[in-house]
Amino acid sequence: MAVFERCCCCSLRTGCLVFGTLGLVMALVNIGLEIHDFVSYGQFMEELREVFLATCILSTLQSVVSITTYSLLIYGIHQAKYKLILPTLVWNPINVCIDIITIIFGSVLFDIDLHDPFLHIVLITTAVYALVSLLCWLCVFSHWRMVKVQVGAPERMEM
């Protein structure tokens, strides 16, 4: 049984396609932004060059994996292949955890004061991002379960 029957105001299939498309577009935009940041700001942060470079590389790798998983999600939804939807179910929680750890690490590294309003805004935005990601994950999970039932896949693998 699926967790959700609908995604917001549309079918699960449509909601997952929108989620996959938006994720794909955001990952492509993020790669462009990282390239821009690397070219533009690489010379200007001399004391934090290694951290800046590591952040650019990590973000670019996340985007490349996201492009792959969202492409598989979109194709898997169109072809009703539950195995192609699975990578998104695995990658999304990992991606959110990496983002949260990066934000916490950045806050500690830059010694941001706990009473700084900027930190509060970043933490609230991160919490909203995590909740929206959870909602999207639940929609994709529900659609994955529905597709598995539709194609007659076994519920559990036999050993």
Side-chain angles (χ1 to χ4, degrees), residues 21-60:
T21 304
L22 288 176
L24 187 61
V25 168
M26 292 303 296
L28 289 168
V29 167
N30 192 43
I31 285 181
L33 290 173
E34 288 304 324
I35 291 170
H36 174 266
D37 287 350
F38 185 72
V39 170
S40 300
Y41 303 115
Q43 306 301 325
F44 135 100
M45 300 180 89
E46 206 55 47
E47 65 278 353
L48 295 173
R49 186 180 227 34
E50 292 83 20
V51 174
F52 179 74
L53 181 62
T55 304
C56 283
I57 291 170
L58 177 65
S59 184
T60 303

Side-chain angles (χ1 to χ4, degrees), residues 1 4 27 42 44 53 57 64 69 86-87 108 116-117 123 127-128 136 145 158:
M1 173 182 275
F4 292 141
F44 135 100
L53 181 62
I57 291 170
V64 168
T69 59
L86 189 61
V108 169
D116 186 2
L123 292 176
V128 170
C136 291
R145 300 252 334 239
E158 294 181 27

Side-chain angles (χ1 to χ4, degrees), residues 16 18 20 31 47 57 59 63-64 76-77 79 91 102 106 111 118 126-128 130-131 138 140 152 154-155:
C16 290
V18 168
I31 285 181
E47 65 278 353
I57 291 170
S59 184
S63 294
V64 168
I77 291 170
Q79 300 297 317
W91 174 245
T102 303
D111 197 28
F118 175 72
T126 303
V128 170
L131 289 173
L138 287 171
V140 173
E155 284 295 314

